[in-house]
Amino acid sequence: MPIPLVNSIASWFLKKRFHQIDLFLKYPNEVQEELLFSLIETAKNTEIGRLYDFASIKSYREYAARIPVKNYEGHKDLIERSRQGENNIFWPSPIKWFAKSSGTTNAKSKFIPVSTESLEDCHYAASKDLLCMYLNNNPNSQLFTGKSLRLGGSKELYKENGTVFGDLSAILIHNMPFWAEYSSTPSNKVSLMSEWETKMTAIVNETINENVTSLAGVPSWMLVLLNNILDKTEKDSLFDIWPNLEVYFHGGVNFNPYVEQYRKILPKKDFKYYEIYNASEGFFAIQDHNNSDELLLMLDYGIFYEFIPMETHGTPEERVIPLAEVEKNKNYAVIISTNAGLWRYKIGDTVRFTSISPYRIKVSGRTKHHINVFGEELIIENAEDALKQACKKTKSEIVDYTAAPVFMEGREKGAHEWLIEFKTPPQDINYFNELFDNALKSLNSDYEAKRYNNMTLNKPKINVARKQLFYDWLKQNNKLGGQHKVPRLSNTRDYIDELLKLNL
């Protein structure tokens, strides 16, 4: 099909869709409330619906008062029954698919229900919206002249008691229309290979001769793949392999630590980067403008949002608020109720609103991924911004890192211990540490207060990791692949002590 015709069809779809998007931009809280009551009405005759008498709920306040907020453990028993083939427990339509995820901090597997509605009205709808927004912002795009190189954590799917579980990316690939494979690379067969290192080699061999126009995947693992491709082809720039490459759609981890490394292998000023925010539980937000670092919260994907202000999270004063009550520049834990039957589910992520008209966010971290042993409330967003500043000034590059507290002993002050693997190390690690410490102080007033005159915290302790330390740790823990991440910040020393032993 000629590209002008493809773009015209996409433009037609976009105009139709933009009318719906415009509705939630103008009336976000009304759209969310209507969505909530649609979810409640749909599920009123399920086991959960009868337990909490969904049929009699007339307001958000009633909903919030009746249904408790729970994490995965609180939903686990009902999900396990659903996995055994029981229906109509928390959602009326039969749920065949379950996205298996170990999460970042829990070795036990989670099985997230994926309903037909969430597949179509959330995950696939978001993929269409992402492409439409990109084409709307880049009308001269040649995206459809070639293929998208997708890199998921896909593994084979497993059947059990009439239900199927596996990585979300495997579920999405399995349910895609047959023609979708023609616009993607590698093939479904390679994408679904289970052994990561074998798959990586197969992807390299299969993609280097394709006309790749876009990339899609988690930055850390995509970088590994792209460097392997450059090594195989003995090229310095990806444009020498794929001259029509124009955009990278990324999500899963903060992109800041990887920006400079991508710019080196993609040396074009007009190359586009588009961020997404999705998870096994749903697709939440999309970058809808070129060169933006904010994500538009998508309010009509069958997900109702609530938030816990992080200053009260985990305390007796913890409170849950609807979207209408959020404020700019505050950190919130995210609570969702979905068209897959997750009711008031804590997903474990934290976000910060950069705008409330429309609702735009930045992902600031994980509720479990922060250090607050000494009242410093250090979050991932602070850490990665500070690392970026220190790297820029020392011309260094980071592969991965983790950090944990050094607990007070006797008269010895506390501190934060960092284990950092560099691709390009700084010439002077002490100078890097000084820059990093000062950057953290400028970004986090609580940290600055604890560091004042070493009152509570001594300066950070930085260990330089050997090459491939984090890769080896992930491999040892059977966590190689596109959806697995190194734990960044922790209130315990479990991860860093294990990694330090491997670093010998």
Side-chain angles (χ1 to χ4, degrees), residues 156-220:
E156 59 192 297
L157 295 167
Y158 301 89
K159 293 184 179 180
E160 194 174 82
N161 301 307
T163 61
V164 184
F165 68 88
D167 284 354
L168 175 67
S169 47
I171 293 171
L172 295 176
I173 288 170
H174 186 88
N175 285 282
M176 280 178 180
F178 73 92
W179 49 263
E181 185 173 4
Y182 295 114
S183 62
S184 303
T185 188
S187 62
N188 289 358
K189 181 181 177 182
V190 169
S191 292
L192 295 171
M193 290 173 68
S194 58
E195 206 287 307
W196 178 255
E197 290 175 327
T198 304
K199 179 165 83 171
M200 184 68 74
T201 301
I203 293 174
V204 171
N205 292 333
E206 196 167 289
T207 58
I208 55 177
N209 295 315
E210 294 282 5
N211 175 26
V212 174
T213 54
S214 67
L215 307 171
V218 175
S220 50

Coordinates of all heavy atoms in Angstrom, one line a residue, residues 156-220:
E156 N 7.7 -18.4 25.9 CA 6.6 -19.2 25.5 C 5.4 -19.2 26.5 O 5.6 -18.9 27.7 CB 7.0 -20.7 25.3 CG 7.6 -21.3 26.5 CD 8.3 -22.6 26.2 OE1 7.6 -23.6 25.8 OE2 9.5 -22.7 26.4
L157 N 4.2 -19.5 26.0 CA 3.0 -19.4 26.8 C 2.8 -20.8 27.4 O 3.1 -21.8 26.8 CB 1.8 -19.0 26.0 CG 1.9 -17.5 25.6 CD1 0.8 -17.2 24.5 CD2 1.8 -16.6 26.7
Y158 N 2.2 -20.9 28.6 CA 2.0 -22.2 29.3 C 0.5 -22.3 29.6 O -0.1 -21.4 30.1 CB 2.8 -22.3 30.6 CG 4.3 -22.1 30.4 CD1 4.9 -20.9 30.4 CD2 5.1 -23.2 30.1 CE1 6.3 -20.7 30.2 CE2 6.4 -23.1 29.9 CZ 7.0 -21.9 30.0 OH 8.4 -21.7 29.8
K159 N 0.0 -23.5 29.2 CA -1.5 -23.8 29.5 C -1.6 -24.5 30.8 O -0.8 -25.4 31.1 CB -2.1 -24.5 28.3 CG -2.2 -23.7 27.0 CD -2.9 -24.5 25.9 CE -3.0 -23.7 24.7 NZ -3.7 -24.4 23.6
E160 N -2.7 -24.2 31.5 CA -2.9 -24.9 32.8 C -4.4 -24.7 33.2 O -4.9 -23.6 33.3 CB -2.0 -24.2 33.9 CG -1.9 -24.9 35.1 CD -0.8 -24.2 36.1 OE1 -1.2 -23.3 36.7 OE2 0.3 -24.7 36.1
N161 N -5.1 -25.8 33.3 CA -6.5 -25.8 33.7 C -7.4 -24.9 32.8 O -8.3 -24.2 33.3 CB -6.6 -25.3 35.2 CG -5.8 -26.2 36.1 OD1 -6.0 -27.4 36.2 ND2 -4.9 -25.6 36.9
G162 N -7.1 -24.9 31.6 CA -7.9 -24.2 30.6 C -7.5 -22.7 30.5 O -8.1 -22.0 29.7
T163 N -6.5 -22.2 31.3 CA -6.1 -20.8 31.2 C -4.6 -20.9 30.7 O -4.0 -21.9 30.7 CB -6.2 -20.1 32.5 OG1 -5.4 -20.8 33.5 CG2 -7.6 -20.0 33.0
V164 N -4.2 -19.7 30.3 CA -2.8 -19.6 29.7 C -2.1 -18.5 30.4 O -2.6 -17.4 30.7 CB -2.9 -19.2 28.2 CG1 -1.5 -19.2 27.6 CG2 -3.8 -20.3 27.5
F165 N -0.8 -18.7 30.7 CA 0.0 -17.6 31.4 C 1.4 -17.5 30.7 O 1.9 -18.4 30.0 CB 0.2 -17.9 32.9 CG 1.1 -19.1 33.2 CD1 2.4 -19.0 33.3 CD2 0.5 -20.3 33.5 CE1 3.2 -20.0 33.7 CE2 1.2 -21.4 33.8 CZ 2.6 -21.3 33.9
G166 N 1.9 -16.3 30.8 CA 3.2 -16.0 30.2 C 3.5 -14.5 30.3 O 2.7 -13.8 30.8
D167 N 4.6 -14.1 29.7 CA 4.9 -12.6 29.7 C 3.7 -11.9 28.9 O 3.2 -12.4 28.0 CB 6.2 -12.3 28.9 CG 7.4 -12.7 29.8 OD1 7.2 -13.0 31.0 OD2 8.5 -12.6 29.3
L168 N 3.5 -10.7 29.4 CA 2.4 -9.9 28.7 C 2.8 -9.7 27.2 O 1.9 -9.8 26.3 CB 2.3 -8.5 29.3 CG 1.4 -7.5 28.6 CD1 -0.1 -8.0 28.7 CD2 1.5 -6.1 29.1
S169 N 4.1 -9.5 26.9 CA 4.4 -9.3 25.5 C 4.1 -10.6 24.7 O 3.7 -10.5 23.5 CB 5.9 -9.0 25.3 OG 6.7 -9.8 26.1
A170 N 4.3 -11.8 25.3 CA 3.9 -13.0 24.6 C 2.4 -13.1 24.3 O 2.0 -13.5 23.3 CB 4.4 -14.2 25.4
I171 N 1.6 -12.7 25.3 CA 0.2 -12.7 25.2 C -0.3 -11.7 24.1 O -1.1 -12.0 23.2 CB -0.5 -12.3 26.5 CG1 -0.2 -13.4 27.5 CG2 -2.0 -12.0 26.3 CD1 -0.7 -13.1 29.0
L172 N 0.4 -10.5 24.0 CA 0.0 -9.5 23.0 C 0.4 -10.0 21.6 O -0.4 -9.9 20.7 CB 0.7 -8.2 23.3 CG 0.3 -7.5 24.6 CD1 1.2 -6.2 24.8 CD2 -1.2 -7.1 24.6
I173 N 1.6 -10.6 21.5 CA 2.0 -11.2 20.2 C 1.0 -12.3 19.8 O 0.6 -12.3 18.6 CB 3.4 -11.7 20.3 CG1 4.4 -10.5 20.4 CG2 3.8 -12.5 19.0 CD1 5.8 -10.9 20.7
H174 N 0.7 -13.1 20.7 CA -0.2 -14.3 20.4 C -1.6 -13.8 19.8 O -2.2 -14.5 19.0 CB -0.4 -15.2 21.6 CG -1.1 -16.4 21.3 ND1 -0.5 -17.6 20.9 CD2 -2.5 -16.7 21.4 CE1 -1.4 -18.5 20.7 NE2 -2.6 -18.0 21.0
N175 N -2.1 -12.7 20.4 CA -3.4 -12.3 20.1 C -3.5 -11.2 19.0 O -4.6 -10.8 18.6 CB -4.1 -11.7 21.3 CG -4.5 -12.8 22.3 OD1 -5.6 -13.5 22.1 ND2 -3.8 -13.0 23.3
M176 N -2.3 -10.8 18.5 CA -2.3 -9.8 17.4 C -2.9 -10.4 16.1 O -2.8 -11.6 15.8 CB -0.9 -9.4 17.1 CG -0.3 -8.4 18.1 SD 1.4 -7.9 17.6 CE 1.7 -6.7 18.9
P177 N -3.5 -9.6 15.2 CA -4.0 -10.1 13.9 C -2.8 -10.6 13.1 O -1.6 -10.1 13.3 CB -4.6 -8.8 13.3 CG -4.1 -7.7 14.1 CD -3.8 -8.1 15.4
F178 N -3.0 -11.5 12.2 CA -1.9 -12.2 11.5 C -1.1 -11.2 10.7 O 0.1 -11.4 10.5 CB -2.5 -13.3 10.6 CG -3.2 -12.7 9.4 CD1 -2.5 -12.5 8.2 CD2 -4.6 -12.4 9.4 CE1 -3.2 -12.0 7.1 CE2 -5.2 -11.9 8.3 CZ -4.5 -11.7 7.1
W179 N -1.7 -10.1 10.2 CA -1.0 -9.2 9.4 C 0.0 -8.3 10.1 O 0.9 -7.7 9.6 CB -2.0 -8.3 8.6 CG -3.0 -7.6 9.4 CD1 -4.3 -8.1 9.6 CD2 -2.9 -6.5 10.2 NE1 -5.0 -7.2 10.5 CE2 -4.1 -6.2 10.9 CE3 -1.8 -5.6 10.5 CZ2 -4.4 -5.2 11.7 CZ3 -2.1 -4.5 11.3 CH2 -3.3 -4.3 11.9
A180 N -0.2 -8.3 11.5 CA 0.7 -7.4 12.3 C 2.2 -7.8 12.2 O 3.1 -7.0 12.3 CB 0.2 -7.3 13.7
E181 N 2.4 -9.2 12.1 CA 3.7 -9.7 12.1 C 4.5 -9.2 10.9 O 5.7 -9.0 10.9 CB 3.7 -11.2 12.0 CG 5.1 -11.8 12.1 CD 5.1 -13.3 12.3 OE1 4.1 -13.9 12.3 OE2 6.2 -13.9 12.4
Y182 N 3.8 -8.9 9.8 CA 4.5 -8.4 8.6 C 5.1 -7.0 8.8 O 6.0 -6.6 8.0 CB 3.5 -8.4 7.4 CG 3.1 -9.7 7.0 CD1 1.7 -10.1 7.1 CD2 4.0 -10.7 6.5 CE1 1.3 -11.4 6.8 CE2 3.6 -12.0 6.2 CZ 2.2 -12.3 6.3 OH 1.8 -13.6 6.0
S183 N 4.6 -6.2 9.7 CA 5.2 -4.9 10.0 C 6.2 -4.9 11.1 O 6.6 -3.8 11.5 CB 4.0 -3.9 10.2 OG 3.3 -4.3 11.4
S184 N 6.5 -6.1 11.7 CA 7.4 -6.1 12.8 C 8.5 -7.1 12.6 O 8.5 -8.0 11.7 CB 6.6 -6.6 14.1 OG 5.5 -5.8 14.3
T185 N 9.6 -6.9 13.3 CA 10.7 -7.8 13.3 C 11.3 -7.8 14.7 O 11.2 -6.8 15.4 CB 11.8 -7.3 12.3 OG1 12.8 -8.3 12.2 CG2 12.5 -6.0 12.7
P186 N 11.8 -8.9 15.2 CA 11.9 -10.2 14.6 C 10.6 -10.9 14.5 O 9.5 -10.4 14.9 CB 12.8 -11.0 15.6 CG 12.5 -10.4 16.9 CD 12.3 -8.9 16.6
S187 N 10.6 -12.1 13.9 CA 9.4 -12.9 13.7 C 8.8 -13.3 15.0 O 9.5 -13.3 16.0 CB 9.7 -14.1 12.8 OG 10.6 -14.9 13.5
N188 N 7.6 -13.7 15.0 CA 7.0 -14.2 16.3 C 7.7 -15.4 16.8 O 7.9 -15.6 18.0 CB 5.5 -14.6 16.0 CG 4.6 -13.4 15.8 OD1 5.1 -12.2 15.9 ND2 3.3 -13.6 15.5
K189 N 8.2 -16.3 15.9 CA 8.9 -17.4 16.3 C 10.2 -17.1 17.2 O 10.4 -17.6 18.2 CB 9.4 -18.3 15.1 CG 10.1 -19.5 15.4 CD 10.5 -20.3 14.2 CE 11.4 -21.5 14.5 NZ 11.8 -22.3 13.3
V190 N 10.9 -16.1 16.7 CA 12.1 -15.6 17.4 C 11.7 -14.9 18.7 O 12.3 -15.0 19.7 CB 13.0 -14.8 16.5 CG1 14.1 -14.1 17.3 CG2 13.6 -15.7 15.4
S191 N 10.7 -14.0 18.5 CA 10.3 -13.2 19.7 C 9.9 -14.0 20.9 O 10.1 -13.7 22.0 CB 9.1 -12.3 19.3 OG 9.5 -11.3 18.4
L192 N 9.3 -15.2 20.6 CA 8.8 -16.1 21.7 C 9.8 -17.1 22.1 O 9.5 -18.0 22.9 CB 7.5 -16.8 21.2 CG 6.4 -15.8 21.0 CD1 5.2 -16.5 20.3 CD2 5.9 -15.2 22.2
M193 N 11.1 -17.0 21.7 CA 12.1 -18.0 22.2 C 12.3 -17.7 23.6 O 12.3 -16.6 24.1 CB 13.4 -17.7 21.4 CG 13.4 -18.2 19.9 SD 14.9 -17.8 19.0 CE 16.1 -18.8 19.8
S194 N 12.5 -18.8 24.4 CA 12.6 -18.7 25.9 C 14.0 -18.4 26.4 O 14.1 -17.8 27.4 CB 12.0 -19.9 26.5 OG 12.7 -21.1 26.1
E195 N 15.0 -18.9 25.7 CA 16.4 -18.7 26.2 C 16.9 -17.4 25.7 O 17.1 -17.2 24.5 CB 17.2 -19.9 25.7 CG 18.4 -20.2 26.7 CD 19.5 -19.2 26.5 OE1 20.0 -18.9 25.4 OE2 20.0 -18.6 27.6
W196 N 17.2 -16.5 26.6 CA 17.4 -15.1 26.3 C 18.7 -14.9 25.4 O 18.6 -14.2 24.4 CB 17.6 -14.2 27.5 CG 17.9 -12.8 27.3 CD1 19.1 -12.2 27.4 CD2 17.0 -11.8 26.7 NE1 19.0 -10.9 27.0 CE2 17.8 -10.6 26.6 CE3 15.7 -11.8 26.4 CZ2 17.2 -9.5 26.1 CZ3 15.1 -10.7 25.9 CH2 15.9 -9.5 25.8
E197 N 19.8 -15.5 25.7 CA 21.0 -15.3 25.0 C 20.9 -15.9 23.6 O 21.4 -15.3 22.6 CB 22.2 -15.8 25.8 CG 22.5 -15.0 27.0 CD 23.6 -15.6 27.9 OE1 23.7 -16.8 27.9 OE2 24.3 -14.8 28.5
T198 N 20.3 -17.0 23.4 CA 20.1 -17.6 22.1 C 19.2 -16.7 21.3 O 19.4 -16.5 20.1 CB 19.5 -19.0 22.2 OG1 20.3 -19.8 23.0 CG2 19.3 -19.7 20.9
K199 N 18.1 -16.2 22.0 CA 17.2 -15.3 21.3 C 17.9 -14.0 20.8 O 17.6 -13.5 19.7 CB 16.0 -15.0 22.2 CG 15.0 -14.0 21.6 CD 13.7 -13.9 22.3 CE 13.7 -13.0 23.5 NZ 12.4 -12.8 24.1
M200 N 18.8 -13.5 21.6 CA 19.5 -12.3 21.3 C 20.3 -12.4 20.0 O 20.2 -11.6 19.1 CB 20.4 -11.9 22.4 CG 21.1 -10.5 22.2 SD 20.1 -9.1 22.2 CE 19.7 -9.0 24.0
T201 N 21.0 -13.6 19.9 CA 21.7 -13.9 18.7 C 20.8 -14.0 17.5 O 21.1 -13.5 16.4 CB 22.5 -15.2 18.8 OG1 23.4 -15.0 19.9 CG2 23.3 -15.5 17.6
A202 N 19.7 -14.7 17.7 CA 18.7 -14.8 16.6 C 18.1 -13.5 16.1 O 17.9 -13.3 14.9 CB 17.6 -15.8 17.0
I203 N 17.8 -12.6 17.1 CA 17.3 -11.3 16.7 C 18.3 -10.5 15.9 O 17.9 -9.9 14.9 CB 16.9 -10.5 18.0 CG1 15.7 -11.2 18.7 CG2 16.5 -9.1 17.7 CD1 15.4 -10.5 20.1
V204 N 19.5 -10.5 16.3 CA 20.6 -9.8 15.6 C 20.6 -10.3 14.2 O 20.6 -9.5 13.2 CB 22.0 -10.0 16.3 CG1 23.1 -9.5 15.4 CG2 22.0 -9.3 17.6
N205 N 20.7 -11.6 14.0 CA 20.8 -12.2 12.6 C 19.5 -11.9 11.8 O 19.7 -11.7 10.6 CB 21.0 -13.7 12.7 CG 22.4 -14.0 13.3 OD1 23.3 -13.3 13.2 ND2 22.5 -15.2 13.9
E206 N 18.4 -11.8 12.4 CA 17.2 -11.7 11.6 C 16.9 -10.2 11.3 O 16.2 -9.9 10.3 CB 16.0 -12.3 12.4 CG 14.7 -12.5 11.6 CD 13.7 -13.3 12.3 OE1 13.9 -14.6 12.4 OE2 12.7 -12.8 12.7
T207 N 17.4 -9.3 12.1 CA 17.0 -7.9 11.9 C 18.0 -7.0 11.1 O 17.6 -6.0 10.6 CB 16.8 -7.2 13.3 OG1 18.0 -7.3 14.0 CG2 15.6 -7.8 14.0
I208 N 19.2 -7.4 11.0 CA 20.2 -6.6 10.4 C 20.0 -6.3 8.9 O 20.4 -5.3 8.4 CB 21.7 -7.1 10.6 CG1 21.8 -8.5 10.1 CG2 22.1 -6.9 12.1 CD1 23.3 -9.0 10.3
N209 N 19.3 -7.2 8.3 CA 19.0 -7.0 6.8 C 17.6 -6.5 6.6 O 17.2 -6.3 5.4 CB 19.2 -8.3 6.1 CG 20.6 -8.8 6.1 OD1 21.6 -8.0 5.9 ND2 20.8 -10.1 6.4
E210 N 16.9 -6.1 7.6 CA 15.5 -5.5 7.5 C 15.6 -4.0 7.3 O 16.6 -3.4 7.7 CB 14.7 -5.9 8.7 CG 14.3 -7.3 8.8 CD 13.2 -7.8 7.9 OE1 12.8 -7.0 7.0 OE2 12.8 -9.0 8.0
N211 N 14.6 -3.4 6.8 CA 14.5 -2.0 6.8 C 13.7 -1.5 8.0 O 12.5 -1.5 8.0 CB 13.7 -1.5 5.5 CG 13.5 0.0 5.5 OD1 14.2 0.8 6.1 ND2 12.4 0.4 4.8
V212 N 14.5 -1.3 9.1 CA 13.9 -1.0 10.4 C 13.6 0.6 10.4 O 14.6 1.3 10.2 CB 14.7 -1.4 11.5 CG1 14.2 -0.9 12.9 CG2 14.8 -3.0 11.5
T213 N 12.4 1.0 10.7 CA 12.1 2.4 10.8 C 11.8 2.8 12.2 O 11.8 4.0 12.5 CB 10.9 2.8 9.9 OG1 9.8 1.9 10.2 CG2 11.3 2.6 8.4
S214 N 11.5 1.9 13.1 CA 11.3 2.2 14.5 C 11.8 1.1 15.5 O 11.9 0.0 15.1 CB 9.8 2.5 14.8 OG 9.0 1.3 14.6
L215 N 12.0 1.5 16.7 CA 12.4 0.6 17.7 C 11.4 0.6 18.9 O 10.8 1.7 19.1 CB 13.8 1.0 18.3 CG 14.9 1.2 17.3 CD1 16.1 1.8 18.1 CD2 15.3 -0.1 16.7
A216 N 11.2 -0.5 19.6 CA 10.2 -0.5 20.7 C 10.7 -1.5 21.7 O 10.9 -2.7 21.4 CB 8.8 -0.9 20.2
G217 N 10.9 -1.0 22.9 CA 11.4 -1.9 24.0 C 12.0 -1.1 25.2 O 12.1 0.1 25.2
V218 N 12.3 -1.9 26.2 CA 12.9 -1.3 27.4 C 14.3 -0.8 27.2 O 15.1 -1.6 26.6 CB 12.9 -2.4 28.6 CG1 13.6 -1.8 29.8 CG2 11.5 -2.8 28.9
P219 N 14.7 0.4 27.6 CA 16.0 1.0 27.2 C 17.2 0.2 27.5 O 18.1 0.0 26.7 CB 16.0 2.3 28.0 CG 14.6 2.7 28.1 CD 13.8 1.4 28.3
S220 N 17.2 -0.4 28.7 CA 18.4 -1.2 29.2 C 18.7 -2.4 28.3 O 19.8 -2.6 27.8 CB 18.3 -1.6 30.6 OG 17.0 -2.3 30.8

